[in-house]
Amino acid sequence: MELVRQAAIEAGAEDAVVARHWMEGGAGAIALAEAVVKAAEKPSSFKQLYPLELSIKEKIETICKEIYGADGVEYSPEAEAKIELYTKLGFANLPLCMAKTHLSLSHDANLKGVPKGYKIPVRDIRASVGAGFLYPLLGTMRTIPACLPARYSTM
């Protein structure tokens, strides 16, 4: 175990601890929790990818260009109507969770690696108002009822 721990630290991990929560319940995760708290207390250069005050389109375009490497975004008439509706209802300041394929950085599972020279189609935008986010559907993405906001970056 110590060899694995040292290799993890040499590779850049903040720390590496054995977690036995599966065997000991909460008591088996105390060392892990302490390591997480210690790492969280260190100075960080973390910043949000975008301010919540940006328009829905500006947030979508920021994510598509900065994270996915797209050249731009194309909106379906349905997506345009939802942007207008959510803005009118006061939901424009919510963070976004992009619903897209997990098989590519793009919306298209066939675009491998780090694709360039493409536009991302936004076909619809849905709201999870109770959870506090909007989720644009990219390409032919199908959804399930769980997603986290995609507004975080360590850049």
Side-chain angles (χ1 to χ4, degrees), residues 68 97-104 106-109 120-126 135-147:
Y68 305 145
C97 175
M98 307 295 264
K100 65 174 214 52
T101 181
H102 65 286
L103 299 172
S104 173
S106 77
H107 65 287
D108 183 349
I120 291 185
V122 176
R123 69 176 172 87
D124 192 9
I125 301 174
R126 298 184 186 162
Y135 59 104
L137 304 181
L138 310 185
T140 58
M141 181 67 203
R142 296 178 190 194
T143 60
I144 59 173
C147 197

Side-chain angles (χ1 to χ4, degrees), residues 72-151:
V73 180
E74 297 170 342
Y75 300 91
S76 72
E78 184 175 6
E80 292 279 6
K82 292 282 186 74
I83 290 170
E84 186 177 326
L85 174 65
Y86 294 147
T87 301
K88 184 188 290 187
L89 292 173
F91 302 148
N93 286 347
L94 293 176
L96 302 181
C97 175
M98 307 295 264
K100 65 174 214 52
T101 181
H102 65 286
L103 299 172
S104 173
L105 273 176
S106 77
H107 65 287
D108 183 349
N110 295 314
L111 295 177
K112 301 299 182 192
V114 183
K116 298 288 180 207
Y118 71 99
K119 290 190 177 194
I120 291 185
V122 176
R123 69 176 172 87
D124 192 9
I125 301 174
R126 298 184 186 162
S128 285
V129 178
F133 63 88
L134 302 176
Y135 59 104
L137 304 181
L138 310 185
T140 58
M141 181 67 203
R142 296 178 190 194
T143 60
I144 59 173
C147 197
L148 294 175
R151 68 179 277 252

